[in-house]
Amino acid sequence: MALTISAVALFGLVLFFLLRSRSLSYGAAFVAIGFGFFLASTGAATPINQLVTAVINAVPSP
């Protein structure tokens, strides 16, 4: 039996546990970069970009 898991889910899970254990290292940085890289290639990229744009536009400018 083969088990298939996406890279986004795998990096997200590892990153969750690294952040929960407050582990700050080069490995944690690599996992965060990998998660961001693979997340950008999914369907979640457009809603995330729209959310960030809405938050930036909601913050008043000086």
Side-chain angles (χ1 to χ4, degrees):
M1 180 169 96
L3 177 68
T4 304
I5 185 166
S6 73
V8 173
L10 180 64
F11 276 110
L13 186 65
V14 172
L15 184 60
F16 171 77
F17 285 116
L18 287 174
L19 290 173
R20 188 160 168 90
S21 68
R22 298 179 193 241
S23 174
L24 299 175
S25 65
Y26 292 114
F30 175 75
V31 169
I33 290 168
F35 179 69
F37 177 77
F38 286 112
L39 186 64
S41 65
T42 66
T46 302
I48 291 170
N49 286 335
Q50 291 172 348
L51 176 67
V52 171
T53 303
V55 169
I56 290 172
N57 290 335
V59 175
S61 298

